Amino acid sequence: MDDFVKEKLAEWGLSSLKDIFEQNDLSDAESTVMVTWLKGNRQPATQVRDFMLKTAPRRLKLLQECQELGEVLMEYPRLLDTPGMVEQDFEVMYPSKATKLYEMWGSKGRRVLQWAETQGSSWKKYITIPDELTEDQADLAVFHILPYLLPPGFHQSAQGKRTKFSKVEAARAFIDIQPVGTNIPQYLRLLEMDLEANQEKAIRKQPYVLALGDMLSPTQVFLMAERLAIEHDSTIAAIDACFKAFYVLNIEYPLACKNVWRFLQHACYGVEGGEREINPTVRSLITAMKKE
C-alpha cells in the first residue's frame, strides 16, 4: 500500500482500514476479475461475500473520494442488492462498531422512554404508545419516539430562506410507515416522482427505513437506498443497515431527521464526527442513555 493511500485513510479517519488494505492488496488483474464476476453473479452467496470483502478497500476508497455514487454502484451492484453487504463494508471500516446498536439497545435504549417522561407531554400528541408492551415492542417504540423528542432539522431554499421541518416530516424521513400490502414497485415510482418534483425539500431523502403494517409489529421492513427496497428481518436490522449505509456510501444524514441519526451515532455506535454539531437536547439524551 503506497503512502498516498495511508495518508488518505488517516485524513478520512479510517486508519483501521490499513490492515484490510494490506491483507487484500489485490493486483489490478485480480480486482478486475472479481468485479466482473460480481457484476454477473449473485450466487453462490459465499463467493459473493468473499469477493465483496476482498474488493471492499478499493470500493470504499472510491466512495470516500466522493466518486459519483451511481457510477460506483454500477461497478459494484451487489453492494445494495445483496443483503448484508452494506453491513460487511461497515465492519471493514469500523471493526469494533459493527454490533454496537444491538449491544446498546434493549435495557439502555428503554432509558429513552424514562427520559421522555421528564420532558413533558408534548410529544404524546404525535404518537400513542400502549401502556402494556412486550420487551420487543418497547424497543421498537423507542425508535419511533425519537423523532418527536429530538428537534427536527432545517431546510434552506435556493433563496437562502431557512424553514424548519415538522416533527411528522422528521419521523417519516426516519421510518416511513405504510399499510400492509403496499405495492413496492408503485411506491418506488411515487418516490421517484416526489424526489424529482421536490429536489430542494424532499422529505424521504434516502436512505431511510420503510415499515409496512403496525409500527410495533410490522409485517415487512425495508432499507430504502438508491431507489431500491432491500428487505430486512426486523426494524432494528433495517435501522442498523440504514445507519451503516450513510458511512459506506459516504452520504450525509437527511436534514429532517439528522438529530435522530446523530443521537444513534454517538449514543450507540460511538462513531466520532460532528461533535460540535450535537444539539443540546441530543446531548442531554445521550447523557441520560449512557448513565450507569
Side-chain angles (χ1 to χ4, degrees):
M1 182 172 60
D2 58 35
D3 290 339
F4 173 78
V5 174
K6 291 179 181 178
E7 290 174 5
K8 281 296 181 183
L9 291 177
E11 177 185 328
W12 297 327
L14 297 174
S15 297
S16 61
L17 284 181
K18 187 175 74 170
D19 291 341
I20 303 295
F21 265 83
E22 291 173 346
Q23 292 167 16
N24 297 304
D25 193 9
L26 303 175
S27 67
D28 289 341
E30 290 172 320
S31 178
T32 298
V33 168
M34 291 183 184
V35 170
T36 302
W37 186 90
L38 285 166
K39 286 180 181 178
N41 296 275
R42 298 188 186 194
Q43 297 291 335
T46 53
Q47 187 157 340
V48 170
R49 181 175 290 276
D50 180 54
F51 280 9
M52 285 293 288
L53 179 61
K54 288 177 177 175
T55 56
R58 293 186 178 216
R59 179 170 56 255
L60 291 169
K61 180 172 177 286
L62 288 176
L63 289 164
Q64 294 299 319
E65 287 176 338
C66 297
Q67 187 86 14
E68 177 61 39
L69 179 57
E71 293 178 8
V72 177
L73 292 177
M74 286 181 64
E75 190 75 356
Y76 296 96
R78 302 293 82 83
L79 179 59
L80 287 183
D81 70 12
T82 302
M85 294 302 96
V86 166
E87 293 90 328
Q88 179 173 266
D89 273 18
F90 182 86
E91 187 168 5
V92 169
M93 295 174 72
Y94 300 102
S96 65
K97 313 291 186 185
T99 60
K100 285 295 184 182
L101 183 62
Y102 297 92
E103 294 170 17
M104 290 293 294
W105 215 244
S107 60
K108 286 195 174 183
R110 285 174 220 135
R111 292 178 185 176
V112 174
L113 291 172
Q114 299 168 0
W115 183 85
E117 293 298 333
T118 70
Q119 303 302 303
S121 60
S122 61
W123 60 272
K124 294 182 180 180
K125 68 183 180 182
Y126 297 103
I127 185 170
T128 300
I129 303 298
D131 293 331
E132 299 295 327
L133 296 173
T134 65
E135 287 190 357
D136 288 344
Q137 288 176 329
D139 292 343
L140 277 186
V142 174
F143 286 121
H144 288 286
I145 288 172
L146 285 173
Y148 301 112
L149 288 176
L150 302 175
F154 286 84
H155 153 69
Q156 185 164 318
S157 70
Q159 293 73 37
K161 182 180 179 182
R162 294 180 82 235
T163 305
K164 195 172 188 178
F165 286 95
S166 71
K167 289 184 179 292
V168 173
E169 288 173 332
R172 289 186 64 202
F174 180 48
I175 303 176
D176 187 23
I177 302 172
Q178 295 292 326
V180 174
T182 292
N183 184 303
I184 297 299
Q186 182 179 12
Y187 178 92
L188 288 169
R189 286 194 295 272
L190 293 173
L191 173 64
E192 182 74 24
M193 292 169 60
D194 178 55
L195 291 172
E196 290 179 359
N198 302 284
Q199 290 186 14
E200 285 190 0
K201 190 190 175 184
I203 303 303
R204 291 173 293 185
K205 288 285 183 72
Q206 301 173 70
Y208 65 92
V209 175
L210 169 67
L212 306 187
D214 183 83
M215 68 176 184
L216 298 184
S217 54
T219 58
Q220 288 179 285
V221 189
F222 302 86
L223 164 64
M224 307 300 295
E226 289 302 300
R227 297 160 177 79
L228 291 173
I230 304 110
E231 188 166 4
H232 283 72
D233 292 335
S234 65
T235 300
I236 190 170
I239 290 171
D240 183 56
C242 191
F243 176 84
K244 292 171 178 176
F246 290 116
Y247 288 84
V248 170
L249 302 178
N250 195 23
I251 299 174
E252 293 184 359
Y253 300 141
L255 292 175
C257 59
K258 69 175 184 178
N259 282 324
V260 175
W261 291 115
R262 190 76 73 192
F263 165 74
L264 293 175
Q265 173 192 339
H266 292 282
C268 298
Y269 290 93
V271 173
E272 296 180 353
E275 281 79 7
R276 293 184 179 181
E277 300 175 20
I278 299 177
N279 177 277
T281 305
V282 176
R283 196 178 298 280
S284 174
L285 181 52
I286 291 171
T287 301
M289 185 167 171
K290 289 187 173 182
K291 190 178 297 182
E292 296 299 332

